[in-house]
Amino acid sequence: MAARELMSEGQEVTLAKVAERARTSRATVYRYFSDPGVLALDATLDIEVRPTSELLVGIDDVRTRVHAVARYYLDFSRDHETYFRQFLGETLKVSLKKGTVKMRGARRVDAFGEALEPLRYSMKPREYEDLKLRLSMTTGMEQFIILEDILRVDRDTGYRLQEGLVDALLDQYLPET
């Protein structure tokens, strides 16, 4: 909770600051978390994500299901921008120190899998997996950063650009109906 508060305020997450905010000893924080990157990861992944099944209630059309998931994860990133930026920064610091890249969660991959489920067995397994992974590249914090920081587009333009990417992928992969 203390780490999430610091992240939401845009402050650097250090083990000492977390201990101070949580009104606990540094030794306690160090016992559970070896570095700020791990703490940031834990705090960010603790943010409650709406279950995909709730997003897809009453939606039968696969294209609409996929768009619902893509829009949700883009909006989720926007709504929790401060957390995710802090998380990315800390994760990148840790990976540079250790020379490895950590897996940063894959909730959206599973969400796209659920959205595509009605077509899963009408597609070749490799194509289904490729589509699920490629769709995962169209949303989330990484895309939000591209839209906001690099392209500097407004929200509606961002949605339009995302929808175009998603549709292009779906047009390439979905079986002809």
Side-chain angles (χ1 to χ4, degrees):
M1 182 69 141
R4 284 179 55 192
E5 288 174 7
L6 290 168
M7 291 171 78
S8 71
E9 295 166 7
Q11 294 189 40
E12 181 181 6
V13 176
T14 66
L15 299 177
K17 284 183 181 181
V18 170
E20 181 181 327
R21 177 67 60 102
R23 295 189 174 113
T24 190
S25 71
R26 288 183 186 186
T28 300
V29 175
Y30 280 95
R31 187 176 318 128
Y32 293 101
F33 300 99
S34 58
D35 61 48
V38 173
L39 187 58
L41 174 64
D42 188 68
T44 304
L45 294 179
D46 192 39
I47 297 171
E48 190 168 326
V49 175
R50 190 171 169 202
T52 306
S53 58
E54 286 182 18
L55 294 174
L56 302 177
V57 168
I59 305 174
D60 295 325
D61 177 66
V62 171
R63 186 174 294 266
T64 305
R65 291 166 62 94
V66 168
H67 278 289
V69 169
R71 173 73 61 96
Y72 173 77
Y73 278 96
L74 180 58
D75 286 341
F76 186 77
S77 297
R78 181 177 282 114
D79 293 344
H80 301 288
E81 177 181 0
T82 305
Y83 293 113
F84 283 112
R85 286 185 184 272
Q86 186 77 20
F87 167 75
L88 286 173
E90 293 299 330
T91 304
L92 291 171
K93 283 183 208 173
V94 170
S95 69
L96 288 173
K97 286 180 195 172
K98 296 182 179 179
T100 60
V101 177
K102 291 185 172 190
M103 181 67 166
R104 296 189 326 236
R107 296 180 285 206
R108 68 184 118 158
V109 176
D110 293 338
F112 279 114
E114 193 170 335
L116 293 168
E117 188 62 31
L119 293 179
R120 181 178 192 154
Y121 299 106
S122 64
M123 297 177 72
K124 294 177 182 174
R126 173 76 184 258
E127 288 180 354
Y128 169 81
E129 288 299 318
D130 283 354
L131 177 57
K132 184 171 68 168
L133 296 176
R134 287 178 174 164
L135 286 168
S136 298
M137 295 168 59
T138 69
T139 195
M141 188 62 195
E142 300 85 357
Q143 186 192 41
F144 176 74
I145 289 172
I146 291 168
L147 293 170
E148 292 286 319
D149 298 359
I150 297 170
L151 302 180
R152 298 176 188 209
V153 298
D154 61 48
R155 183 183 299 227
D156 289 336
T157 301
Y159 288 150
R160 183 176 56 77
L161 294 173
Q162 180 192 51
E163 289 169 5
L165 284 172
V166 169
D167 281 334
L169 286 168
L170 293 174
D171 289 347
Q172 179 182 347
Y173 281 92
L174 291 186
E176 295 291 324
T177 55

